[in-house]
Amino acid sequence: MPAITYELIKTCKQTGARLGKVHTPHGTFETPIFMPVGTLATVKTMSPEELEQMNAKIILSNTYHLWLRPGEDIVEEAGGLHKFMNWDGAILTDSGGFQVFSLSDLRQIEEQGVHFRNHISGEKLFLSPEKAMQIQNSLGSDIMMAFDECPPYPATFDYMKQSVERTSRWAERCLTAHDRPDVQGLFGIVQGGEYEELRKQSARDLTSMDFAGYAVGGLSVGEPKDIMNKVLDFTTPLLPDNKARYLMGVGSPDSLIDGAIRGIDMFDCVLPTRIARNGTCMTSEGRLVVRNAKFARDFTPLDHNCDCHVCRNYTRAYIRHLIKSNETFGFRLTTYHNLYFLLKLMEQVREAIKEDRLGDFREEFFEQYGFNKP
Ligand code: GUN
Ligand code: ZN
């Protein structure tokens, strides 16, 4: 048995969205699913017990960050990432490809890999497909990602074509270098920007190789939403039905629903946790900036329609006070609520797929959230 398998349960008659299950060495989860981001082996401000309480099943962590600090050898010595951070659910690690491009200075791409400077110490480093596999094998994540190039938006067709071809060659090297296919699954990443021909080429190359699942990369990099939806419209049908599909870096409520409708099973994004630390909450009626003065005497919950621990026990006025005072507990409360909100949203999406009414659910949700307003 491969480490990671995908089981398609049904598709929504109204939208074509998929209800499925992903089986991993650290449990099974239903899809479509949202994965909270724990870049440095912690979902910022949340304990693993809280993640479990909010019903998170899989979290994401980063090869690049853990390689630089504390070093994958230390994580391996601890018994792997699950033991190191005391999280017994599933873990997906991104390969470092994206982080090298978004965080480091002075990067230089070659056929062998990427030269760059450590964004913390300034030290010169080199990351390659082989190195990214070795690090992820040491971390012991359930799902590893291939080492890819995620070009910025917009990129020219000619640049993107070269990049897609290099990403395919790197993908082949990742499969060869992956040492533990029996206990860790490796996903390939389809690139190609907004160009249909290149998405086709990338999907053709990668699906001819034996990956455990496929990601759509290179989206949510500054392009308009309708371009993302258009790219998904022509890309997800190129991916095999019997493997999981993961849209990288997407986490706004509307994009989660629109991605699921286009056949995506897995999503991750720093959005809910990042905006939480800045005093912004996702609610059923849209974004709420709880820092605002108008909430100083508002003794109601963050979201009237939310049954999370925070909404059952704390008020907007109290949370505003904590955040204005830079109190850690305030950030914990907004983070918990935001993650709960997205996990619950995906549960509602799965329920709607079961009942063939995701199209209706989308309409209602968009109306209430305020996406339909001009
Ligand atoms: N995170 C968001 N987008 C991407 C991507 O295109 N590649 C990788 N490796 N990670 C991502
Ligand atoms: Zn809540």
Side-chain angles (χ1 to χ4, degrees):
M1 268 293 264
I4 302 292
T5 56
Y6 174 78
E7 186 187 339
L8 177 63
I9 296 174
K10 74 165 296 223
T11 54
C12 172
K13 292 203 177 82
Q14 228 175 37
T15 61
R18 297 163 22 120
L19 181 72
K21 277 186 187 173
V22 174
H23 305 282
T24 85
H26 288 85
T28 291
F29 53 85
E30 284 201 4
T31 57
I33 198 168
F34 177 77
M35 304 182 281
V37 175
T39 295
L40 281 163
T42 171
V43 175
K44 290 191 195 306
T45 80
M46 291 290 99
S47 69
E49 292 77 13
E50 286 165 319
L51 294 171
E52 210 180 304
Q53 197 182 95
M54 65 175 76
N55 215 15
K57 300 287 183 194
I58 172 167
I59 62 172
L60 181 140
S61 201
N62 284 103
T63 299
Y64 171 83
H65 293 82
L66 296 175
W67 173 42
L68 300 189
R69 191 168 56 189
E72 77 282 8
D73 53 324
I74 290 180
V75 176
E76 188 169 29
E77 216 174 296
L81 189 50
H82 297 81
K83 284 222 172 96
F84 185 56
M85 67 180 291
N86 190 35
W87 168 253
D88 202 35
I91 301 176
L92 179 149
T93 43
D94 198 357
S95 56
F98 183 75
Q99 288 71 32
V100 164
F101 294 103
S102 59
L103 293 174
S104 68
D105 312 320
L106 290 167
R107 59 198 166 257
Q108 187 193 334
I109 310 172
E110 298 172 358
E111 188 58 27
Q112 265 320 294
V114 186
H115 294 273
F116 62 98
R117 270 182 204 281
N118 177 337
H119 75 284
I120 306 163
S121 70
E123 179 194 1
K124 275 187 173 171
L125 292 165
F126 180 68
L127 200 52
S128 64
E130 290 75 16
K131 184 70 188 167
M133 293 302 104
Q134 176 257 305
I135 298 168
Q136 293 182 87
N137 282 150
S138 296
L139 296 174
S141 50
D142 300 280
I143 302 178
M144 313 177 6
M145 298 305 298
F147 186 70
D148 61 330
E149 184 192 353
C150 175
Y153 176 85
T156 64
F157 182 89
D158 289 341
Y159 184 86
M160 194 60 84
K161 187 169 170 68
Q162 284 198 20
S163 169
V164 158
E165 288 167 1
R166 184 168 42 226
T167 287
S168 293
R169 292 190 296 273
W170 284 358
E172 191 76 64
R173 284 166 53 189
C174 285
L175 276 171
T176 305
H178 178 16
D179 256 351
R180 306 173 67 212
D182 48 328
V183 284
Q184 296 178 268
L186 175 60
F187 281 22
I189 306 175
V190 175
Q191 295 287 350
E194 59 189 308
Y195 306 106
E196 183 167 4
E197 183 187 328
L198 299 181
R199 289 283 176 181
K200 279 192 173 143
Q201 181 178 349
S202 180
R204 195 181 327 114
D205 288 351
L206 295 173
T207 57
S208 76
M209 307 174 203
D210 189 23
F211 284 104
Y214 291 92
V216 183
L219 289 176
S220 203
V221 287
E223 78 285 1
K225 284 218 160 133
D226 60 309
I227 293 209
M228 175 157 84
N229 285 333
K230 231 172 48 197
V231 170
L232 291 176
D233 279 332
F234 57 66
T235 304
T236 46
L238 307 169
L239 302 175
D241 281 338
N242 63 352
K243 291 185 177 169
R245 301 150 175 191
Y246 160 30
L247 175 54
M248 308 189 83
V250 166
S252 65
D254 55 331
S255 300
L256 294 178
I257 297 174
D258 283 338
I261 286 175
R262 288 164 178 80
I264 297 292
D265 309 305
M266 300 162 63
F267 303 85
D268 82 283
C269 193
V270 295
L271 185 74
T273 39
R274 182 170 291 164
I275 65 175
R277 295 194 305 279
N278 178 14
T280 300
C281 296
M282 294 174 172
T283 80
S284 54
E285 289 165 345
R287 279 200 196 186
L288 181 127
V289 184
V290 72
R291 278 182 158 277
N292 283 352
K294 68 176 173 188
F295 300 120
R297 290 184 167 75
D298 187 336
F299 303 107
T300 67
L302 289 174
D303 185 351
H304 307 281
N305 295 310
C306 181
D307 63 351
C308 85
H309 179 76
V310 176
C311 291
R312 281 189 282 108
N313 294 287
Y314 301 94
T315 64
R316 292 174 175 181
Y318 178 60
I319 295 169
R320 170 178 186 270
H321 155 69
L322 293 179
I323 287 185
K324 295 279 292 179
S325 313
N326 241 336
E327 284 289 343
T328 311
F329 190 47
F331 305 125
R332 289 170 38 74
L333 294 174
T334 51
T335 299
Y336 188 98
H337 164 81
N338 280 357
L339 288 175
Y340 186 94
F341 178 81
L342 286 189
L343 293 167
K344 186 86 180 192
L345 172 65
M346 298 316 276
E347 200 179 305
Q348 293 170 303
V349 166
R350 294 192 298 269
E351 208 52 42
I353 298 173
K354 256 177 223 168
E355 297 167 2
D356 296 310
R357 54 171 180 81
L358 184 56
D360 297 341
F361 176 80
R362 179 187 185 279
E363 277 310 296
E364 289 154 26
F365 181 86
F366 274 46
E367 186 61 39
Q368 224 200 350
Y369 204 87
F371 287 126
N372 290 339
K373 290 197 193 110

